[in-house]
Each structure stands twice: as structure tokens, then as C-alpha cells.
DNA sequence: TCCTTGACTCAGT
DNA sequence: CACTGAGCCAAGG
């Protein structure tokens, strides 16, 4: 099921991710009301204005920066995250244990 | 108009 | 543990 305002909900949820945190496509899809539409989240973000939506805070379920190629340079996504205080593992993925935002309360 | 291609993920084999 | 199929559905060739 995908509510008609799925697109808007996705943008709002992404905008709600605090600095230094990241979340996954699946979590956003679920919170936006469409558990199995994770791919749509990526499509929406690719069409969204990255200057208005912090799309760099969205990674895949492994913490890999699967969307880096949609930024000015492949390195800019990682650079922006690093600037916000996000730490990376040796394999170049985000440490989800430390930075995953689940849209729950009391995480700050 | 049909076919392919994705910023994905999970269940089944 | 690796691989596959399916669900999801917008865009572009």
C-alpha cells in the first residue's frame, strides 16, 4: 500500500533525520506507509532537490552509500556525512550501530 | 506500448 | 553461505 502523499512523507521523514545520524531506505519506506517500496524512496530522492532534503543521510541496510553517484561527486556524500560527525568502518560503510536513526524518541 | 533499469529488501532454496 | 525471485513502480529508450 502506498499513500498518495508517499513522496511528501518521504521528504518530510528525511528532513527529520538529525545531524550526525543516518537511516535506511527500508525504514523510510515503512514509516512513510509502504514497507516494500524501498526502491521508490531512492527514486524519490534522486528526483528531490538535495539542497532542500538531506538525502546524504539515507543509506542502504548495510550502511553502504549506494546513492553516492547521484551527488556532484561520488565522494561528496561521504564527505558531507563525515563533516556532520558520522564515522565510517574500514570497509567504507557507515557505522549503523552508532548512527542509525530509527525515528524513535529519546535517541539524542 | 513493451522492455529495461534502478539510491532496496526480504524470504525461500 | 550464495544465489534467486518477487514485490514495488516511475522513467526513458
Amino acid at each position: 500500500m502506498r499513500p498518495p502523499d508517499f513522496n511528501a512523507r518521504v521528504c518530510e521523514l528525511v528532513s527529520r533525520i538529525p545531524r550526525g545520524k543516518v537511516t535506511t531506505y527500508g525504514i523510510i519506506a515503512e514509516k512513510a506507509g509502504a514497507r516494500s517500496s524501498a526502491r521508490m524512496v531512492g527514486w524519490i530522492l534522486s528526483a528531490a532537490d538535495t539542497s532542500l532534503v538531506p538525502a546524504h543521510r539515507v543509506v542502504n541496510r548495510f550502511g553502504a552509500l549506494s546513492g553516492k553517484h547521484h551527488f556532484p561527486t561520488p565522494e561528496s556524500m561521504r564527505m558531507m556525512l563525515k563533516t556532520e560527525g558520522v564515522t565510517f568502518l574500514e570497509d567504507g560503510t557507515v557505522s549503523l550501530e552508532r548512527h542509525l536513526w530509527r525515528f524513535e524518541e529519546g535517541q539524542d
Side-chain angles (χ1 to χ4, degrees):
Chain A
M1 297 297 296
R2 221 165 49 70
D5 57 336
F6 184 71
N7 186 311
R9 274 162 105 11
V10 167
C11 290
E12 185 192 330
L13 286 165
V14 173
S15 300
R16 225 153 84 196
I17 305 170
R19 218 178 97 93
K21 290 286 182 180
V22 300
T23 194
T24 72
Y25 301 95
I27 290 175
I28 290 178
E30 184 178 10
K31 296 293 180 184
R35 177 174 170 270
S36 299
S37 294
R39 305 182 78 153
M40 291 300 92
V41 175
W43 177 84
I44 289 168
L45 292 183
S46 71
D49 188 338
T50 54
S51 69
L52 301 177
V53 179
H56 58 282
R57 296 179 187 151
V58 185
V59 300
N60 70 11
R61 70 182 174 110
F62 300 117
L65 310 187
S66 45
K68 61 181 173 186
H69 288 123
H70 292 263
F71 288 82
T73 72
E75 293 79 31
S76 58
M77 184 177 185
R78 177 167 176 170
M79 190 183 73
M80 292 170 80
L81 289 173
K82 276 209 127 181
T83 300
E84 299 183 347
V86 173
T87 57
F88 290 79
L89 303 181
E90 292 182 16
D91 59 5
T93 65
V94 173
S95 176
L96 293 179
E97 283 294 316
R98 282 171 52 80
H99 304 291
L100 180 61
W101 181 252
R102 300 170 191 279
F103 293 96
E104 295 165 359
E105 297 178 23
Q107 288 184 29
D108 258 340

